[in-house]
Amino acid sequence: MKKSKIEVDGMHCASCSTLINRALSRLDGVEGANVNLTTNKATIDYDGKKVTEAKLISTIQSKGYGAKIATDNSGIDDKKQKKEYQKLKKSFFFSLLFAVPVFILGMFFMKNPIPYQDIIMGLLATPVQFIVALPMYKSAFTALKSKSANMDTLIVMGTSAAYFYSIFVILSGHGHVYFEASAVLITIIVFGRLLEAKAKGKTSEAIKKLIGLKPKTAIVIRNGKEIKIKVDDVVVGDKIIVKPGEKIPVDGIIIDGHSSIDESMVTGESIPVEKNKGDSVIGATINKHGSFTFKATKVGTNTTISQIIKLIEDAQGSKAPIQRFADSVSAFFVPAVLLIAVITFILWYFLIGSEFQFALIASVAVLVIACPCALGLATPTAIMVGTGKGAKEGILIKGGEALETAHKIKNIIMDKTGTITKGVPEVTDIISLTKQDETSILALAATLEKNSEHPLAEAIVKKANFEKLQLKKVKGFKSIPGHGITASIGSKKYYMGNVKLMKDNKINFIKCNS
């Protein structure tokens, strides 16, 4: 069983995603299809012997939508999102330029029309109807060719009815024109899509930030030479050099050297982890002090950070149970609306005996106000925002179903200390085992540690600054990775660190067991 992700262009509503979902599901060999309107992606599970990726793409294209195999970063294509947003923005303001004067003429000059008012309104409404709404006409026509209907079908039918009836009124010289209705409605629809495009851009910010954590280059040893290459060009088995302060390019195992590494991005633990020869390292984590060489074991999409990104993308693309219900409703939504619009016209014109104009406008109103935008966007947008916000706070949610079930949680059991932390260490207690008071101990410790980059040192200095303590000058500062530091104040040499540092330097100390 294979799984493919296809990027889909041209979806506007739940009906679009349902139409593609249904077309893919009908293919022989397709076990499951999930078309997500918010991420513009289709995830398909299929039998590679019965159906190919090319067939999946051609099936989507036959329904009038663009389709291509999704790359690793296609879900967070900034340029594409911005281009789509700018295109809609231009379209909206262009439409607004014509719709506002049409609206003013139609609403405020009804009783006292200006000369040739209907013709002027018709000329102003035409660019909106056939330039701004052209993509809607194309979409509706494509849906018609595949014997289906979508949201654009409703918009095109409703606005076209108002526009062409108004043309008929001008030609016949009898009746009231409704150019303002068609122009304003198209402008409102474009404005709605502009807001959708903006919302879609914001929902993928968490993934963009995670991808931003990935290093761009790596220093590898090839043919005995050190060369800088792109991270994407690193292969399994490459020997990579990491210097202090650099991000580790990919996952691997240390083969030479030692260091302390900040793995808080992955583990949540704020204290750097000491790493020696034979220990594994995780890509995108930060090397703090020492230099080392490691052998790449996982590259590209197999690295830990790539798997985390994939987990979030899958979660954002998954469907919650409530969304499946919404999709099943939207499958019958458009045909039902068309039927109701026809029944509305028949009731008002033939049974109640209203004027043709009134019956037409009543049916147009049914077509236009029934656009199922919210039906298809509400749940996937909520899932994207929820999983995105969680990722920002270091909480990974596996999918829409887990998110929907979360409201039933009554108790949470944490696996270990440090799972819920601020992410940085903080001085909480100072315990004196001698006659020295706590303030003098803190001042001495902060003086020694002020040149260190270790998170514990930063916490000690921060506490001393908070207490507004005066720190002395030190000389001969030296950081000893995995042990602590040594420095001199005046003529006295001090050691500050763990038990191993004390034992290595044969220093007597009082052991605190509490």
Side-chain angles (χ1 to χ4, degrees), residues 436-484:
Q436 269 187 300
D437 63 274
E438 293 177 4
T439 304
S440 59
I441 291 171
L442 178 60
L444 177 61
T447 298
L448 295 169
E449 293 283 14
K450 66 181 179 182
N451 294 322
S452 175
E453 294 175 354
H454 197 283
L456 290 180
E458 289 171 5
I460 293 166
V461 174
K462 188 178 177 182
K463 178 72 172 175
N465 289 335
F466 179 77
E467 298 289 345
K468 296 179 180 176
L469 301 179
Q470 290 293 319
L471 305 185
K472 297 175 183 177
K473 285 186 179 180
V474 296
K475 57 185 180 181
F477 176 86
K478 185 185 175 185
S479 176
I480 307 163
H483 294 72

Side-chain angles (χ1 to χ4, degrees), residues 352-429:
I352 299 172
S354 297
E355 290 182 5
F356 178 80
Q357 290 174 252
F358 184 85
L360 178 69
I361 291 302
S363 61
V364 166
V366 171
L367 288 171
V368 176
I369 65 165
C371 298
C373 302
L375 193 66
L377 282 166
T379 308
T381 302
I383 290 169
M384 286 196 77
V385 172
T387 52
K389 288 276 186 188
K392 280 182 186 176
E393 301 299 327
I395 302 164
L396 301 181
I397 300 161
K398 288 195 77 175
E401 197 162 342
L403 194 63
E404 190 176 319
T405 312
H407 78 279
K408 296 177 182 175
I409 293 172
K410 289 184 173 65
N411 300 294
I412 300 173
I413 301 169
M414 297 299 163
D415 62 337
K416 60 187 173 66
T417 308
T419 303
I420 300 179
T421 66
K422 291 180 181 177
V424 288
E426 190 177 283
V427 175
T428 56
D429 298 286

Side-chain angles (χ1 to χ4, degrees), residues 156-175:
V156 166
M157 285 185 72
T159 58
S160 296
Y163 178 84
F164 287 110
Y165 173 74
S166 300
I167 294 290
F168 170 75
V169 167
I170 290 174
L171 295 173
S172 65
H174 299 288

